[in-house]
Amino acid sequence: MSDKITNILMVGVGGQGTLLASEVLSETLMQAGFDVKKSEIHGMSQRGGSVVSHVRFGKEVHSPIIPEGDADIILGFELLETYRYLPLLKKGGRVVANDLRINPSVVSTGGEKYPEGIANKLRQLVPDCIILDGLKLATEAGNPKAANTVLIGALSKQLNVDEKYWLAAIGKMVPKKALDVNLRAFQLGRSV
Amino acid sequence: MKEILSGNEAIARGAYEAGVRVASAYPGTPSTEILENIIQYKEIDASWAPNEKVALEVGIGASFGGGRALVTMKHVGVNVAADPLFTLSYTGVRGGLVLVTADDPEMHSSQNEQDNRNYAKFAKVPMLEPADSQECKDFTRLAFELSEQFDTPVMLRTTTRTSHGKSVVTLAEPVTGLPAPRLERNAAKLVMLPANARRRHPFVEERTIKMGEFGNDLAVNRLELRDTTTGVITAGISYQYVREVLPEASVLKLGMVWPLPQKLIREFAGKVQKLYVVEELDPFIEEQVRAMGIAVIGKEIIPICGELTPGILRRAFNRPEPAVTTVEKLPGRPPNMCAGCPHRGIFYTLNQLKAYVTGDIGCYTLGFFPPLNAMDTCVCMGASIGNATGITKVLSAEERQKVVAVIGDSTFLHSGITGLLDMVYNKAPATLIILDNRITAMTGRQENPASGFTLMGEETFQVDLPQLVKTLGVRHVQIVDPYDLAESKRILQEEMARPEPSVVITQRPCVLIKRAGVFESGEPLEVKIELCSGCKACMKLGCPAIVWQAGEGGKGKATIDPLLCTGCNVCEQVCKLSAIGEKQ
Ligand SMILES: Cc1ncc(C[n+]2csc(CCOP(=O)(O)OP(=O)(O)O)c2C)c(N)n1
């Protein structure tokens, strides 16, 4: 195993299942034999705030948070949040983003505006960025709530980790009755 | 067996492996998940106490009975538990006792960022500080051994990044052969009246010296010699950042941050050309190293406020920083009360009445934010009531009427009862609102004595708040439905005008309570768009379910998100045009 550490930043809005997705990711990586560290802040963020999860893996990981400007991949569950965290992305890093807009309270109340054209800005700043409609694919898989697993599927294509570890981790972390839907959602994300 | 665990899960596991019999705590971020996870180990009697002082006293009792006890709290909780802690240092233990203090540098969810390493020195008890989840587990086990070996409580300090960060942990089997708890009298050690305490104090001083010496050979105080141009003394999460940013530097990693291993520090200082201390918050280790007469660089380059990051260390040590993309200023995502939150209507009313609100800590502290803007002070748990009493003492009769204290059910039972007793006893004419949502919501919905359930989910006596308040001597107690704005306003006006202590209790459960029969969501409401004039009266509630749709020429209309709306009907009451109502 090389000494290289891979850094994945997952960002979204409270209630989107970002944290569950980061659990699946870190479980997958541990099963695949990597040292893994993950860091996130719960607390106030649960009440509609932004949610950020740092996942780092490799031979030996020290800091649980990604050094500024060192993220290899940003997996974004919402457009504004994806864009907000671009300063953490490495030059030449990749972005996989959900094409979804969730208004912050300061926008719903009419006080501030949701920035227009974020998807285009992302495409400009990160040339091979992938933007997918997680909600649509999850609905296709059988439940709009599985959008987080669609995104995990799309992320899995970007990492060189055997598919069996992903499937095992999803099997372990997702409740039995939702498993089929989530496995379908994973495959739909993986084939984007 | 390997598992990926948070620091909190690992501490729970470590307690199980250490044969802990009793675990007691009061919730507080980032410590809460330790007890929430410990309940999977059926061997442990785990419970929520009403506050941290009681939690520690319960732990002390278990220790005096000969069982191992774990007590956990957030950093400010130790302020509440400080009284028993300082004397526990004198009595020492029978069964091992470990007190976890979960500090919160950066104040992700706290009102201050005090550095509780100072408590270890102040109370003269040893403190261990883990740097990842494996160490969280291992240090918990070690802490119990040290506690019994040296007859002392041991503090285990985590910070938000170690508590909530996850990393790979190798599990071990629980210890066996611990002595069975039983009564054993030893008054000279456990009854701390002056004659006995005077004999215990020299023991405490000797213990600190002995443990400092012991620390020179303790495996968790680890010398890592690499390039000797730069040497760094560090501990806890800061160690990880040092390894990340200065991989070639020599490091003295301290697992025990009090008392310090002086011989080891001298040895390390003698081996490196330039010595640094990298630590979050206070110059705690740095000051000790300086006091030993050793030249060291610390807070000259490492910030004293907030948490550290690899980026901060890069800048402090002039390491190259990557070029980054910058983005323009974007709308933030501040936290907000949930749609249907029973606190919202009360704060809307307090704003309308222009009350001066002495606040407290809980979800209702969000009543401070616009558009509710209805909180004027917030100091610590329970402070709202004493603050209200005090402020009425200096105001004119007219201004006094504006003073209203607000407090949640869990906070009232934590440290508000004595404040209210004082308000009655000393005849302060303030009004207190107890926001009873039947749960400790802020920290993730823990049970409390007013919820009727224990941590284990067993039914138990549910304290009757109106009865309790009356027993304390409050003569004017009114119950209101916070979803009824007109009634809330009428009752609040009445009680604010009364030149006597009075209490208003709101009774509506938190919308996030999952147990059947507590919170029932109603039908979502809708805006009849043809009736909406765009006056924005409903926007003053700050409800996340009410969404403003901008229209032509600056005119817009309100809409309601049916997925978020719980049908609490509060917005229907503020709409003068009857544009909001049930779906037709
Ligand atoms: C001494 C201390 N212990 C714990 C905490 C963490 N904490 C903040 S608010 C709170 C309780 C909130 O419950 P409640 O008063 O019922 O209000 P709610 O959030 O339910 O509205 C807790 C445990 C703290 N800030 N200070």
Side-chain angles (χ1 to χ4, degrees), chain B residues 26-27 52 76 343 361 363-364 381 408-411 437 439 441-442:
Chain B
Y26 181 73
E52 292 86 352
V76 287
H343 299 330
I361 309 191
C363 283
Y364 49 93
M381 286 187 75
D409 49 332
S410 185
T411 304
N437 62 355
I439 206 85
M442 185 76 206

Side-chain angles (χ1 to χ4, degrees), chain A residues 47, chain B residues 26-29 31-32 51-52 73-81 109-111 341-343 360-365 379-382 407-415 435-446 448 510:
Chain A
R47 283 153 197 85
Chain B
Y26 181 73
T29 315
S31 71
T32 313
N51 70 26
E52 292 86 352
M73 55 196 63
K74 72 182 285 159
H75 61 337
V76 287
V78 181
N79 302 334
V80 179
S109 341
S110 302
Q111 67 267 37
C341 175
H343 299 330
D360 223 301
I361 309 191
C363 283
Y364 49 93
T365 314
V379 180
C380 67
M381 286 187 75
I407 196 166
D409 49 332
S410 185
T411 304
F412 178 65
L413 297 172
H414 174 279
S415 48
L435 301 158
D436 179 10
N437 62 355
R438 232 85 68 68
I439 206 85
T440 314
M442 185 76 206
T443 40
R445 301 183 303 282
Q446 290 75 32
N448 69 47
C510 167

Side-chain angles (χ1 to χ4, degrees), chain B residues 43-59:
Chain B
E43 298 79 356
I44 302 177
D45 178 312
S47 57
W48 292 128
N51 70 26
E52 292 86 352
K53 178 175 185 287
V54 176
L56 180 54
E57 288 156 349
V58 169

Side-chain angles (χ1 to χ4, degrees), chain A residues 13 23 37-39 44 47 49 56 62-63 65 67-68 70 78 81 83-84 87 102 104 108-109 112 121, chain B residues 33 161 165-167 240-241 243-244 309 311 314 322 324-325 328 331-333 335-336 363 441-442 539 548:
Chain A
V13 176
E23 297 276 292
K37 280 195 178 152
K38 160 169 129 98
S39 183
M44 288 280 209
R47 283 153 197 85
R56 313 188 70 210
H62 292 295
S63 165
I65 53 181
E68 294 87 329
D70 276 357
E78 196 269 353
E81 295 311 309
Y83 185 59
R84 190 193 306 283
I102 300 176
S108 318
T109 54
E112 289 186 54
K121 286 188 195 173
Chain B
E33 299 83 6
R161 296 289 173 182
K166 290 204 167 188
S167 56
Q240 308 291 4
Y241 304 145
R243 294 291 293 118
E244 188 78 33
T309 64
R314 275 181 187 153
V324 296
T325 314
E328 66 273 28
R333 264 185 217 278
N336 192 0
C363 283
M442 185 76 206
M539 302 309 297
W548 184 250

